[in-house]
Amino acid sequence: MGWRRNVRRLLTVAALAAAVPCSAQVGKWELGGSPAWAFPTHHAGDYMRRSFHLQAFGLYQFHEWLSAGGELGYSTGHRLGGKFTEVDWDSPPDGHNDNIGFTSTAKLNWMMLNPVLKVGKWVEFEELLYRPYVTVGMGLYHFWYKAGDNKLTGYTTKPTHLNEVHVSQRELSSTGMGVNVGVGIDQQVFESLTVGFDMRFHHVFNVVDYDRDGTDDDDFDFLIPGLRVYYVF
């Protein structure tokens, strides 16, 4: 009879649908935050210490491979200290930069605002969803020094012995453009919660003064590894 054939067809379709594995859905919007550390590198790594860093971000996934949005970050304070390598401390100057160790009570704080692109696709592995990705951004960075005292100890190229020579660090600020590139991986924990790890390299143009000539014409490089937590909807 016709109704029996229809029932058998419906049962067959239901069985086939049950046999097809289901993939979890991930929302298009991502809002989240990231506790991290900012590590100065290159010349900046000689001149200052690491800082705790906080970041907030929002992105929209408008293609299965591509998300876009913005990031806002704040470093709570890089304490100055390490070595001066771009200054001639001899008096009178002998024309050679000295490598002088120093400690300091001064700090450098900074904030950033960056539009970013995130390239990566969600993939399922052992019933969990992961997204490896690369990211690139460009935006504004604002730096400001909190005044303090630099204490120098070491030998100049003349040589002259500097024994706890005190040099003040002025309170000043500067703003510049910068770029960042990075890699990371996300994992869906719940339908609305994703966690991940992100590694980002930042390069900021003309915002610091390593040679203490009164002009912020040196670049600042830093590396930020951080844990990321997203609310997804």
Side-chain angles (χ1 to χ4, degrees), residues 104-125:
S104 181
T105 60
K107 284 187 176 182
L108 175 71
N109 295 68
W110 58 270
M111 297 183 65
M112 70 174 191
L113 178 61
N114 276 286
V116 293
L117 291 175
K118 184 176 182 178
V119 182
K121 182 180 179 181
W122 288 100
V123 295
E124 189 170 358
F125 179 72

Side-chain angles (χ1 to χ4, degrees), residues 185-213:
I185 186 167
D186 297 326
Q187 178 188 335
Q188 186 185 47
V189 180
F190 301 109
E191 184 177 351
S192 299
L193 179 66
T194 299
V195 298
F197 178 79
D198 185 275
M199 178 72 75
R200 201 76 59 89
F201 175 75
H202 296 253
H203 179 83
V204 191
F205 304 95
N206 301 328
V207 288
V208 290
D209 182 17
Y210 299 128
D211 54 11
R212 297 180 67 87
D213 64 355

